[in-house]
Amino acid sequence: MNSLTVNLNLLLTSFYTPTQERHKILLEESTFPTNYFACESHINNHKKYLVNESLFLLRPGQDELFHTKDILNIIEMEGDSIALVMLSGVQYLTGQLLDMEVITKAAHKKGCKVGFDLAQAIGAVELSLHDWEVDFAVWGNFKFMNCGPGAIGGAFMHRKHVHNNFPKLLVTLKYCCYNFHHTESR
């Protein structure tokens, strides 16, 4: 449904629910530009928060890679102020596959919600979003799903969130869970 960026904005409506103590979004410094703009927009929409204080940009190491231990250290040190960990499953500039399962587990342990941009991962690597307990993910079907430019995007929301009491666009999010639930059992 929709495009990757539209789906990301729809899901950020539900999963970026900042509080005074927990308002940051952890995002790669070299994320795809539209991911940055979507996160920036959602921070701006919550009038109490400033992008330069609420957008925590993850910087790669000297080798241009994001090391899991560095990500986990940031989550451990800053996790009490992070509302959302929003990373790429596969980093679009380097092709690096992040350890989504380990990152998700560490972020949840600190009370953070977790979303992934899977544009470079969908159709290229094995994903177990439900088993990893990823809160949400978005992707485009244009690249490794071989659909080409203009193809519709995809969205995932863990079914544990269907009845949660946080802001959501019900038609969209129930569809994400319904669709996943019925394809998972095949």
Side-chain angles (χ1 to χ4, degrees), residues 44-62:
N44 284 333
N45 284 339
H46 294 275
K47 305 277 187 227
K48 298 178 189 174
Y49 307 102
L50 301 172
V51 172
N52 63 349
E53 295 174 3
S54 295
L55 199 53
F56 190 110
L57 296 176
L58 178 65
R59 290 180 173 80
Q62 289 183 340

Side-chain angles (χ1 to χ4, degrees), residues 15-18 22-25 79 81-85 111-113:
F15 289 97
Y16 179 60
T17 54
R22 190 182 288 273
H23 58 90
K24 294 179 183 173
I25 299 176
S81 65
I82 296 173
L84 175 64
V85 173
C112 311
K113 294 175 185 152

Side-chain angles (χ1 to χ4, degrees), residues 49-105:
Y49 307 102
L50 301 172
V51 172
N52 63 349
E53 295 174 3
S54 295
L55 199 53
F56 190 110
L57 296 176
L58 178 65
R59 290 180 173 80
Q62 289 183 340
D63 57 2
E64 299 301 314
L65 298 176
F66 295 97
H67 299 278
T68 302
K69 66 181 174 68
D70 296 337
I71 297 170
L72 299 181
N73 284 338
I74 288 170
I75 291 170
E76 182 60 35
M77 291 186 311
E78 300 287 336
D80 293 335
S81 65
I82 296 173
L84 175 64
V85 173
M86 178 65 222
L87 300 172
S88 301
V90 171
Q91 220 290 322
Y92 87 104
L93 290 175
T94 65
Q96 178 189 2
L97 173 63
L98 297 185
D99 193 334
M100 292 176 268
E101 181 177 17
V102 169
I103 293 167
T104 300
K105 188 177 287 187

Side-chain angles (χ1 to χ4, degrees), residues 14-15 17 108 113 135 157-170 173-174 177:
S14 295
F15 289 97
T17 54
H108 283 166
K113 294 175 185 152
D135 294 300
M157 180 185 79
H158 199 283
R159 69 175 155 222
K160 69 184 175 187
H161 294 298
V162 170
H163 300 293
N164 280 6
N165 187 22
F166 55 75
K168 53 185 138 183
L169 303 170
L170 291 176
L173 295 181
K174 284 191 176 191
C177 287

